[in-house]
Amino acid sequence: MVSLMKYIEVINHYNDQIKESIKQVYLQQHLEQPQIEEHKIVALHLLAQTTKNHENLVLTTMLVQIALNTHDQISTQYEDNINSTQQQLTVLAGDYYSGIYYHLLANSNDLSLISVLADGINEMTQEKMHVYYNDYHTIKSFLDDFEKIESKLVIKIANFVNKDDASPYISKWLMYKRIEFELVQLSKNHHTFFHQLLKETVQNIHDSNQIENSLILCLEILENELLKLKSDKWMDILDKDLDIYPIHDKQKNWKIMLEEGLSQ
């Protein structure tokens, strides 16, 4: 199991490398720093740490993910005050990040990794087309489909490093951490693309309170699903309670809210 200090060191190490790789003064002056999904750094590191050139593998995969996430920001207008210049810069930023990972891939001369990530991008794009333009009756059905997007590149890497056995647990773990992240963003009144996607695709979800209550419930469901995998060795390697996004104190309040809601 990764210790608290160990995973913080891993995250900080790759955060520094990623930020150095994508540094571009003009974009930094006009756009927010892209969100680095730290739960994916941890999962990728644990999967790849015993393989050759594992740091390049983690860094390259994360840059692919950042580029794809950046392009998502222009697919839905989730901020009223966004203007055409910001849109154009966001597209430019996504293309810029894509160029960096293509450069890294070319330098690594690893044709098999190039093929794996290309397949992942293609499959993720198809999954996004299905999810982004669907109409869901429940948030659970939405999250079941979104989990495939959330875990796609990491699962591709798990297969690439011959750790297919990790896929069932890691897929659920990544979704669990994604929900934690989104709940923390809500608590900060920071509205994300994911929140807007919920409002646009899931019936009966129209505001932040409904998003929060639904995600709290889904977090409980996912926790039970993870516990059902207790025989999986990856549960001991990748702890669901790793507090990557400081949330444990908030979870106590959420459990109280959930219990009160169910008792009514």
Side-chain angles (χ1 to χ4, degrees), residues 97-110:
Y97 303 145
S98 298
I100 293 170
Y101 81 73
Y102 281 127
H103 176 72
L104 287 173
L105 285 174
N107 285 346
S108 71
N109 200 31
D110 191 337

Side-chain angles (χ1 to χ4, degrees), residues 12-209:
N12 288 341
H13 173 72
Y14 284 108
N15 264 332
D16 289 343
Q17 288 196 47
I18 291 168
K19 289 175 182 176
E20 184 62 28
S21 296
I22 66 176
K23 184 166 60 177
Q24 211 287 339
V25 175
Y26 184 78
L27 291 176
Q28 288 176 330
Q29 289 175 342
H30 294 86
L31 293 175
E32 292 184 7
Q33 185 80 7
Q35 180 64 49
I36 299 173
E37 297 173 301
E38 295 177 343
H39 57 299
K40 292 181 181 176
I41 290 177
V42 173
L44 287 166
H45 171 76
L46 289 173
L47 286 167
Q49 61 183 330
T50 58
T51 63
K52 183 181 179 182
N53 297 325
H54 68 277
E55 288 198 1
N56 184 70
L57 189 154
V58 174
L59 178 59
T60 302
T61 306
M62 287 304 302
L63 287 171
V64 172
Q65 187 71 69
I66 289 169
L68 294 171
N69 292 350
T70 302
H71 280 131
D72 278 344
Q73 301 307 309
I74 53 98
S75 62
T76 299
Q77 293 298 324
Y78 64 93
E79 290 190 64
D80 294 334
N81 62 350
I82 195 167
N83 58 46
S84 60
T85 300
Q86 287 175 303
Q87 275 195 345
Q88 291 166 7
L89 284 172
T90 302
V91 173
L92 176 64
D95 292 342
Y96 173 69
Y97 303 145
S98 298
I100 293 170
Y101 81 73
Y102 281 127
H103 176 72
L104 287 173
L105 285 174
N107 285 346
S108 71
N109 200 31
D110 191 337
L111 295 180
S112 55
L113 178 59
I114 293 172
S115 177
V116 164
L117 290 176
D119 285 346
I121 292 169
N122 180 51
E123 291 173 19
M124 189 189 294
T125 300
Q126 294 179 48
E127 296 288 353
K128 285 180 177 180
M129 292 295 292
H130 170 72
V131 172
Y132 292 4
Y133 300 101
N134 207 341
D135 186 21
Y136 291 94
H137 295 290
T138 67
I139 190 171
K140 179 64 169 60
S141 59
F142 167 87
L143 291 177
D144 285 345
D145 281 351
F146 191 88
E147 182 181 317
K148 299 170 187 174
I149 298 172
E150 179 68 18
S151 62
K152 179 62 67 178
L153 292 183
V154 178
I155 298 306
K156 284 290 182 181
I157 295 302
N159 296 338
F160 180 68
V161 299
N162 298 315
K163 293 180 179 175
D164 306 60
D165 62 316
S167 297
Y169 181 83
I170 284 184
S171 182
K172 295 294 181 187
W173 184 89
L174 289 169
M175 197 64 231
Y176 187 84
K177 292 302 168 188
R178 177 60 182 264
I179 293 176
E180 287 187 340
F181 168 79
E182 296 296 343
L183 283 166
V184 169
Q185 298 309 301
L186 275 176
S187 72
K188 296 176 180 178
N189 201 31
H190 181 202
H191 301 290
T192 69
F193 172 77
F194 182 86
H195 301 155
Q196 183 65 23
L197 197 58
L198 283 173
K199 288 191 285 187
E200 292 187 352
T201 61
V202 182
Q203 295 178 14
N204 301 319
I205 292 186
H206 308 293
D207 58 41
S208 295
N209 286 335

Side-chain angles (χ1 to χ4, degrees), residues 215-261:
L215 288 181
I216 290 169
L217 179 60
C218 286
L219 201 63
E220 291 289 312
I221 293 171
L222 266 172
E223 184 170 359
N224 289 330
E225 290 179 351
L226 283 168
L227 290 174
K228 290 177 182 177
L229 296 170
K230 60 185 178 182
S231 61
D232 194 312
K233 70 176 184 181
W234 283 90
M235 176 173 279
D236 293 326
I237 299 171
L238 199 55
D239 188 354
K240 74 175 180 61
D241 292 326
L242 285 178
D243 204 14
I244 295 173
Y245 308 111
I247 199 173
H248 285 175
D249 289 339
K250 293 183 177 66
Q251 280 182 311
K252 295 175 184 177
N253 294 329
W254 292 336
K255 287 182 182 294
I256 294 172
M257 287 171 55
L258 179 63
E259 290 168 359
E260 289 176 348

